[in-house]
């Protein structure tokens, strides 16, 4: 894999992913934007779409740099170079379009191959996106397996705490695997690329957002073959399972159709959702005053502890003193729960309400009243001692 990377690209803005605002990401196979007119049209539609991060595949732009950044007043276009096929024609290539705000949050761009590109954004937690373009179903098995091996290597480099999303054209058909699978699928059969993608998802703990939200079939397909007019779902928004609730929705839209691609754009809506940590329950306090007041309660409590302790000793092989002590404490807790009522919450009075403080406060008021209300026999002279 290539190690070409760019770090700290004008990183002046933090936290691209927030709790109170949605972040719109997407993936789109543009088929080609090598000509200036096609590139300008894509940028114009991107500016109007409200998408902050758009992964693009098959841009077919060849350049000497492994990672190239083109900035504009609207944001930036980041691409890894396409490659030449046997006939010398440009093919493939992955990249992304970033809004101005998203570009200011970029802290790392790294190319792993001509099909896999990683971009990391600043924040807490940080957002890492991987842009991928898989070989087609008709490509050689070795090429498809090599692509997924590179993709898994890129995912393994992402810290576990990061919000990870994989966007791209996977050329994969996924179908329902078992009756326990609660997802909604477009295809009835999983192809070879689909099985490789499923293996990658299981190994790297990813989930396909396309199948998580129920849609009509007309709202699910992402590609229409020009020759046969067959429709399929091959473009995916994947999310790390740990952050699955961050993905609010996945939508297939026609808003980029003016770019003249045979694909449709897939939009994912992200909004940070943090788990609310529950406070651990404190130990239950019991009212032991009942044992001091009633002989009958003391006898019942002693019998409960003895019986439960003997039952634990008989049912478990307890040899050393530590295990016996633990069994005894378990017996005491069970007897407490069975015999004693729970103690009422302690009332914590303020220190200012203590009788001693109240007496001192009254004496202070009396002294203050005597000082200011009793007339003095001689006037008090104030002398300036600073002169």
């Amino acid at each position: 894999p290539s190690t070409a990377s760019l770090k700290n690209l004008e990183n002046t803005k933090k936290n691209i992913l927030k709790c109170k605002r949605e972040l719109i990401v997407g993936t789109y196979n543009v088929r080609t934007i090598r000509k200036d007119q096609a590139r300008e049209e894509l940028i114009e539609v991107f500016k109007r779409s409200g998408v902050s991060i758009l992964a693009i595949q098959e841009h077919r732009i060849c350049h000497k740099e492994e990672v190239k950044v083109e900035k504009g007043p609207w944001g930036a276009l980041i691409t890894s170079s396409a490659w030449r096929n046997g006939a010398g024609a440009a093919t493939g290539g992955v990249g992304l379009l970033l809004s101005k705000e998203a570009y200011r949050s970029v802290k790392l761009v790294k190319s792993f191959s001509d099909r896999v590109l990683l971009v990391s954004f600043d924040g807490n937690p940080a957002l890492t996106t991987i842009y991928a373009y898989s070989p087609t179903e008709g490509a050689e098995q070795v090429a498809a397996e090599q692509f997924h091996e590179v993709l898994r290597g890129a995912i393994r480099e992402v810290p576990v705490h990061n919000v990870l999303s994989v966007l791209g054209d996977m050329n994969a058909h996924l179908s329902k695997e078992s009756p326990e699978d609660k997802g909604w699928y477009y295809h009835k059969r999983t192809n070879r690329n689909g099985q490789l993608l499923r293996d990658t998802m299981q190994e790297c703990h990813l989930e396909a957002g396309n199948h998580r939200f129920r849609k009509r079939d007309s709202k699910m397909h992402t590609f229409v073959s020009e020759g046969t007019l067959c429709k399929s779902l091959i473009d995916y928004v994947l999310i790390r399972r740990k952050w699955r609730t961050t993905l609010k929705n996945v939508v297939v839209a026609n808003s980029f159709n003016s770019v003249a691609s045979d694909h449709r754009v897939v939009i994912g809506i992200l909004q940070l959702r943090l788990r609310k940590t529950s406070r651990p329950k404190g130990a239950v306090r019991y009212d032991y005053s009942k044992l001091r007041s009633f002989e009958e309660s003391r006898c019942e409590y002693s019998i409960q502890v003895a019986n439960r302790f003997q039952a634990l000793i008989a049912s478990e092989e307890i040899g050393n003193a530590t295990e016996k002590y633990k069994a005894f404490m378990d017996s005491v807790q069970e007897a407490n729960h069975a015999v004693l009522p729970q103690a009422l919450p302690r009332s914590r009075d303020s220190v200012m309400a203590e009788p001693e403080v109240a007496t001192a406060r009254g004496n202070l008021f009396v002294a203050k009243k005597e000082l200011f209300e009793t007339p003095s026999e001689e006037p008090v002279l104030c002398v300036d001692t600073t002169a």
Side-chain angles (χ1 to χ4, degrees), residues 73-223:
W74 49 271
L77 169 64
I78 302 176
T79 57
S80 63
S81 178
W83 61 90
R84 301 281 180 180
N85 60 16
T91 184
V94 294
L96 67 153
L97 286 167
L98 295 175
S99 66
K100 187 187 303 183
E101 181 181 10
Y103 180 68
R104 293 203 303 266
S105 299
V106 174
K107 67 177 181 180
L108 173 65
V109 179
K110 185 172 183 179
S111 174
F112 286 84
S113 72
D114 48 14
R115 290 181 177 272
V116 179
L117 180 67
L118 180 148
V119 178
S120 187
F121 300 87
D122 213 340
N124 185 21
L127 172 66
T128 300
T129 51
I130 297 178
Y131 313 96
Y133 176 43
S134 170
T136 61
E137 180 70 11
E140 296 181 357
Q141 177 79 16
V142 176
E145 292 178 351
Q146 184 178 7
F147 163 76
H148 280 276
E149 186 59 36
V150 174
L151 179 59
R152 293 168 191 167
I155 294 173
R156 282 193 288 267
E157 288 198 11
V158 180
V160 178
H161 185 62
N162 284 24
V163 179
L164 171 63
S165 179
V166 180
L167 311 170
D169 179 359
M170 298 300 179
N171 283 304
H173 296 178
L174 291 177
S175 62
K176 187 179 288 291
E177 190 176 21
S178 64
E180 290 76 21
D181 190 347
K182 302 302 182 182
W184 287 274
Y185 293 86
Y186 185 79
H187 297 287
K188 303 299 182 183
R189 185 181 64 87
T190 300
N191 62 2
R192 182 203 65 184
N193 280 356
Q195 189 57 52
L196 291 173
L197 177 60
R198 178 161 279 149
D199 294 342
T200 298
M201 291 167 55
Q202 291 178 352
E203 180 179 331
C204 300
H205 308 289
L206 299 175
E207 179 181 294
N210 305 57
H211 306 303
R212 183 176 160 200
F213 305 96
R214 189 172 186 175
K215 310 287 183 182
R216 298 196 307 268
D217 287 350
S218 61
K219 298 293 185 180
M220 293 186 69
H221 73 271
T222 65
F223 170 72

Side-chain angles (χ1 to χ4, degrees), residues 258-329:
S258 60
V259 184
S261 173
D262 48 4
H263 288 249
R264 297 200 293 176
V265 65
V266 183
I267 301 296
I269 302 175
L270 303 177
Q271 187 172 11
L272 189 62
R273 297 183 64 182
L274 303 177
R275 284 184 304 216
K276 183 179 180 180
T277 56
S278 57
R279 296 179 60 184
K281 294 183 179 180
V284 179
R285 296 175 56 251
Y286 294 96
D287 185 6
Y288 290 95
S289 61
K290 184 178 179 180
L291 300 180
R292 294 194 297 267
S293 305
F294 303 98
E295 179 68 24
E296 182 179 352
S297 299
R298 286 198 296 271
C299 294
E300 182 183 358
Y301 184 78
S302 301
I303 293 172
Q304 289 279 357
V305 172
N307 291 344
R308 295 175 187 274
F309 180 68
Q310 292 298 329
L312 288 174
I313 293 293
S315 62
E316 301 179 8
E317 296 181 359
I318 300 177
N320 55 39
T322 302
E323 294 177 349
K324 288 183 179 180
Y325 177 76
K326 184 178 181 303
F328 174 72
M329 293 306 299

